[in-house]
Amino acid sequence: MRFIRRNLSLLAFLALAGAAMMGAYVYFSPASGVAEVVAAGSSAGALSAPFVKPVPARPVLQRLIQSPGPIRVGVISGHKGNDSGAVCADGLTEAEVNENIAVRVVSALQARGIAADLLTEFDPRLDGYVATALVSIHADSCDYINDVATGFKIAGSGYTDSSSLSICVEDAYRRATEMSYHANTITPDMADYQAFRRISSGVPAIIIEVGFMNLDRPMLTQQPDRVAGGITDGIWCFLDQIRSGVSYAPQFAIPPDGG
Ligand SMILES: [Zn+2]
């Protein structure tokens, strides 16, 4: 009793301070759960508001391959539905060379559980097309130009950063076909390719010229699985980067048709 009487003012102060801190805590606590409370610290006697860190909404980047995720790849079969492209003396057309490869890439992707669209050159679906990646398959001239008119080349979209996709396909294609990269004949036609302008911005897109129909003809016509395998492996490399978050697809949405 003597102890309580002697320390009455101290006890009253402690009770008052406790009530004040509780009041401050209740008053400053956030009303809803949209924000993440990092720290609601209150050191003895001092009033302090909780620190609130806003958490922006972020797209989901990692999905299991088996789940019907938003990963989708478009493959354009060059010239299909429009014209024949380059034509060889014996009637072999670029359009048929391209298609022979494009259908193999699409079915290989589908076999790995990826939603893949086989598109024609001026496919109506290309307007505002949303995908994880778009790859257009073409081949070079059948005319004999010179002894170095051999090899493949790739041009990326000038509208969306497509360098990761480009590097992946270049490496994988070189490894699969052992062809050389023919860099010095990239035309403005390739860099400003019509489909790049039509698809949704934010979709990484490349056009690959798989080889010259003259000097590379045996590879293109007799080993289409090898050619298609290189492109498929390159796309897979890029999708791996997307899944692991190394590459980020700026516009990474589920297509309007829902899958
Ligand atoms: Zn072409």
Side-chain angles (χ1 to χ4, degrees):
M1 243 6 228
R2 261 177 67 202
F3 174 81
I4 293 175
R5 240 183 291 125
R6 209 186 290 166
N7 296 289
L8 193 64
S9 57
L10 179 64
L11 290 170
F13 171 76
L14 286 175
L16 206 68
M21 282 193 288
M22 185 57 74
Y25 175 76
V26 170
Y27 182 78
F28 287 108
S29 288
S32 68
V34 294
E36 180 184 305
V37 177
V38 171
S42 82
S43 51
L47 287 177
S48 64
F51 295 100
V52 174
K53 192 183 104 185
V55 181
R58 281 175 50 194
V60 176
L61 292 176
Q62 275 178 296
R63 297 276 183 124
L64 293 175
I65 303 160
Q66 291 81 5
S67 73
I71 285 182
R72 173 171 289 259
V73 175
V75 176
I76 296 176
S77 182
H79 301 277
K80 187 176 164 64
N82 188 64
D83 62 297
S84 58
V87 185
C88 300
D90 65 351
L92 177 71
T93 67
E94 184 201 336
E96 52 184 301
V97 168
N98 297 340
E99 184 170 15
N100 199 21
I101 295 161
V103 293
R104 284 171 162 79
V105 173
V106 167
S107 46
L109 288 171
Q110 288 170 347
R112 294 189 191 188
I114 300 296
D117 300 315
L118 181 63
L119 303 160
T120 60
E121 184 67 63
F122 293 97
D123 202 298
R125 287 174 288 179
L126 283 168
D127 291 311
Y129 186 69
V130 175
T132 317
L134 177 78
V135 175
S136 181
I137 297 173
H138 280 255
D140 255 312
S141 169
C142 202
D143 302 332
Y144 175 82
I145 301 160
N146 55 42
D147 285 343
V148 293
T150 170
F152 69 102
K153 60 200 175 200
I154 295 171
S157 166
Y159 300 87
T160 297
D161 178 19
S162 305
S163 51
S164 299
L165 175 62
S166 196
I167 291 164
C168 271
V169 174
E170 185 184 327
D171 286 350
Y173 194 77
R174 194 199 310 269
R175 223 175 301 125
T177 63
E178 292 170 343
M179 283 167 78
S180 60
Y181 189 76
H182 195 94
N184 52 338
T185 56
I186 291 178
T187 62
D189 244 19
M190 278 183 80
D192 192 32
Y193 179 54
Q194 55 92 10
F196 295 164
R197 277 178 266 126
R198 294 173 60 200
I199 61 174
S200 193
S201 70
V203 178
I206 58 166
I207 176 170
I208 177 169
E209 300 268 1
V210 290
F212 287 80
M213 287 168 66
N214 190 301
L215 295 180
D216 302 319
R217 180 170 174 158
M219 171 69 76
L220 301 182
T221 59
Q222 291 160 31
Q223 297 184 272
D225 284 321
R226 193 170 164 192
V227 172
I231 297 170
T232 307
D233 287 349
I235 294 170
W236 193 255
C237 152
F238 177 69
L239 297 182
D240 264 348
Q241 291 185 5
I242 292 288
R243 289 195 200 93
S244 63
V246 174
S247 279
Y248 176 68
Q251 185 163 337
F252 199 70
I254 297 166
D257 69 3

